[in-house]
Amino acid sequence: MTINPRMLVLAREAQGLTQQDLAKATGLAQSTLSKAETGVRPLPEADVPQVAKVLRVTPELLTWQEEVYGFGSASFFHRKQQSLSQRTLRKIQARVNLLRMRLVRLSDGIAVDTSLKIPHIDIDEVGTAAEAARRVRAAWRLPMGPVPNLVNIVEAAGGTVLLRDFETHRINAISVWHPGSGPLFVLNEGLSPERQRFVLAHEIGHMVMHEGDLPRETAEKEADSFAEELLMPAAEIAKDLSGIDVRRAAALKPYWRVPMQSLIIRAEHLGIITQARSRSLHAYMNKAGYLVSEPAPIEREIPQIYKEMLRIHIEEHDYSVHELSQVVGMLEEDLENEVVTPSRRRLRLVP
């Protein structure tokens, strides 16, 4: 068994461990691990199972030859990474890479027919992020008014959405689109349901306008503007925002399915209220605790593609949990937490 040094590093970083941590947990010398990770000397084959167990992967995963990618300019440029430790950043990047690799392996042999696609739009050609959002709404044939289940739409366009614990509130989401794999949106599962929709729309904006391009200082503002127009089209929401206050924002929230604060900010950006009025309402919401937890949360949109891939392998391709664990490189007990076998409860798609 030939260990790929890059996968050994990736699996370790995905657990948030240093070489010293891994050495202590496995009883190996740190020098042995260091040489294995740099490719100077292979990890002794007898030690591979123990190392894999500590890293919560199969020994076979450590032999995978997939490329390891950074986040790229679109999904991680000018985020709050400066306030996060390098260990946290590496942990998130490693976990997203492993998710992408597992999705690619699960998709082998599964024909996916998508009726839509996530386009790439040159923002400099169309002029504004809002115009890019209008074109996406048209391409996706969205009805007037609020966007229905956004997660379902993204997955119908060939994307995969996953909810995961980032173990920090400083990063809301990561979106990546690497060679050989489809668009992947990993959202912080700690987001409220309404905030999740806005964050996903923001990430779609990055994917549509910035993916594969050089970093630009205006990327975050453009993604926000895109999300506002995608979820709250100016031509349709302006009349609803007239005279907006906190009470009216709470009344509009179930219909537009966005955070109350987003409605207030949208009113400011459309010139319906002044910046001073927006700040006053923001202060009121902060005092009431609404910036931490808004009243009347909407129903959460639950991703389905990943679950469906697991279901197909178990129920239609007749994989055992053990066999499927070899495909995705996960320990069986970890995989069992994500898959429901026919003997326990049948998975089904939620419309």
Side-chain angles (χ1 to χ4, degrees), residues 190-263:
L191 296 169
S192 67
E194 56 273 12
R195 183 64 182 161
Q196 175 185 305
R197 274 173 55 90
F198 190 89
V199 167
L200 179 55
H202 177 103
E203 293 302 315
I204 295 168
H206 276 309
M207 195 74 76
V208 168
M209 299 181 296
H210 306 135
E211 182 62 36
D213 294 341
L214 293 174
R216 50 195 289 156
E217 294 287 342
T218 54
E220 288 299 295
K221 288 184 178 179
E222 289 165 354
D224 275 342
S225 179
F226 177 98
E228 288 184 3
E229 183 65 23
L230 185 72
L231 297 176
M232 301 171 283
E236 300 166 39
I237 200 173
K239 63 180 185 301
D240 288 350
L241 298 177
S242 178
I244 192 169
D245 56 15
V246 174
R247 180 175 296 180
R248 180 152 182 77
L252 290 172
K253 173 182 173 178
Y255 178 72
W256 287 100
R257 298 174 57 78
V258 295
M260 295 162 57
Q261 181 67 7
S262 295
L263 289 162

Side-chain angles (χ1 to χ4, degrees), residues 127-139:
T128 66
E131 176 58 26
R134 286 189 285 270
R135 296 191 180 202
V136 169
R137 283 187 68 106

